Amino acid sequence: MKKKTAQEKKSGTVASLGEFPLITNMTRNLQTDDSVVHGVGDDCAVLKYTLQKYQLFSTDMVIEDVHFKRDEMNPKYIGYKALARNISDIAAMGGDPTYAVVSIALPGDLSLDFVKGIYAGLKGCAARYGVLIIGGDTAQHEKIVISIAILGEVEKQHLVLRSGAKEHDRVFVTGKLGGSIMKKHYSFKPRIAEAAFLTQHTKVNAMIDISDGLLQDLSHILVASGVGCVIETSRVPISPDAFKRAGHDERKALQAALTDGEDFELLFTVSASKAPHLLEKWKRELWTPLTEIGSITKTKKVFLRDVDGQEIEVVPSGFHHFQ
Ligand SMILES: [Mg+2]
C-alpha cells in the first residue's frame, strides 16, 4: 500500500487511526442480545440457530485497484476471489458455507463480457463450495466493487474462535506462505475440507485464516487469547513463488512468508498432547501441507527463533488497509 500522506496522517482522519483501532472505535457499544453468541471480533459472527448448530455470518469486499487490477486479471478470477475470501472466513470458524448475497458496483462503460466473466467466476466458486447465491444489489460506480455477505453453519462442538489458544499449544499452518501476489491471491482454495478434517479429528483451540499476513493474523489469535508465541523460522513453509519473487534470497523469502497478505491458509493451535496424532493422521489422509511452526507462550510477546536458538522479538506487521 502507499505511504500515508501528511494530509492522511492528520489526527481525526481514518488513516491516522489505522484499520484495527478504527474497527474497535466504530463498533464500541453496539447493541446486542442473547441470540448473538459472538459478535464483532472473529472471522464470522456466531448466531443461535438450531439445537445442534450455530449460524455463521460474515461479509467481505474486493475493490478495483486495492484487491485487483482490472487489466491484469481475467474477470472470472475477480468473481472467484470475491466469494472465495468469504468462504475462507467460514472455514476459519470450522464451518460450512451455505448462502451468499452479492452486491456489485460497476462502471457504466464496462463491457458486458467482463461482467459476465465476473459472474462466471462467482458461480463457479459457489458451485465448487456448495454455496447458493440468493440475492444482492447493483450500482454504478467508476471502480468495480464487489461486496458479499455470507452465511454458514457449524456444529456447536466444532466451532473454533480466535480466543482459545493456551500456553504450550502447538501452532500450525496449512499450505505454503508468501508471494501470493504472483498468482495465489486470485486462485487460492478456501480450506473448507481441511477445517472439516480438523474439527472431526482433533480439538482446535484457536483458528484464523491468513488474509493480512502470518504475523498480523497470528497477533489476532494472541491478543484474543491473552497469550504470546515463539515461531521457529526454519519451520515456516515458504512458497516457491515467495522464493522466486525474492530472487531466491532466503531472508527476503522468509520475510514474505511472515508478512505477505492474501494467502488464505488456516493458522491454528492444538494442545501439545494432540499435535503428533493430528500431524500423522493429516499426512495419511490429506494432500495439503500442514506444518507445525511454533508454540504458544504465557508471555504476551512474539519471538522469532532461528535454527541456532537465537530469538528476536517482533511487533506483528502486515497488510494495514489504511496505511
Ligand atoms: Mg478472516
Side-chain angles (χ1 to χ4, degrees), residues 42-44 58 60 85 88-89 92 162 208-211 217 264:
D42 221 299
D43 291 281
C44 298
S58 188
D60 194 279
R85 293 165 61 95
S88 183
D89 278 330
R162 295 175 179 180
I208 193 168
D209 66 322
I210 301 178
S211 52
D217 288 308
F264 297 103

Side-chain angles (χ1 to χ4, degrees), residues 141-281:
H141 185 63
E142 66 210 34
K143 305 247 182 199
I144 302 168
V145 180
I146 309 172
S147 174
I148 296 180
I150 193 163
L151 287 172
E153 52 185 48
V154 60
E155 298 280 337
K156 284 184 178 175
Q157 76 268 24
H158 290 167
L159 175 72
V160 189
L161 302 175
R162 295 175 179 180
S163 53
K166 295 177 182 67
E167 188 186 4
H168 306 307
D169 274 6
R170 300 299 183 229
V171 179
F172 288 92
V173 69
T174 61
K176 300 199 169 189
L177 304 177
S180 76
I181 192 79
M182 303 273 277
K183 181 164 173 255
K184 188 181 176 187
H185 76 107
Y186 59 78
S187 60
F188 64 92
K189 297 185 179 77
R191 299 304 194 186
I192 290 289
E194 290 78 0
F197 181 91
L198 285 172
T199 56
Q200 275 158 29
H201 291 104
T202 193
K203 170 81 180 80
V204 182
N205 288 341
M207 185 150 67
I208 193 168
D209 66 322
I210 301 178
S211 52
D212 296 339
L214 171 66
L215 289 180
Q216 181 67 63
D217 288 308
L218 174 66
S219 80
H220 293 313
I221 286 183
L222 302 180
V223 170
S225 305
V227 292
C229 184
V230 175
I231 298 287
E232 311 273 351
T233 52
S234 61
R235 293 186 174 207
V236 173
I238 303 171
S239 78
D241 277 346
F243 274 115
K244 215 184 286 172
R245 260 197 114 218
H248 296 274
D249 175 327
E250 253 180 68
R251 263 195 65 224
K252 278 190 193 160
L254 173 65
Q255 178 74 14
L258 292 172
T259 60
D260 281 1
E262 304 207 310
D263 270 313
F264 297 103
E265 296 294 348
L266 293 175
L267 174 68
F268 60 93
T269 84
V270 167
S271 74
S273 62
K274 292 190 166 65
H277 176 70
L278 167 64
L279 261 177
E280 187 193 315
K281 199 162 178 60

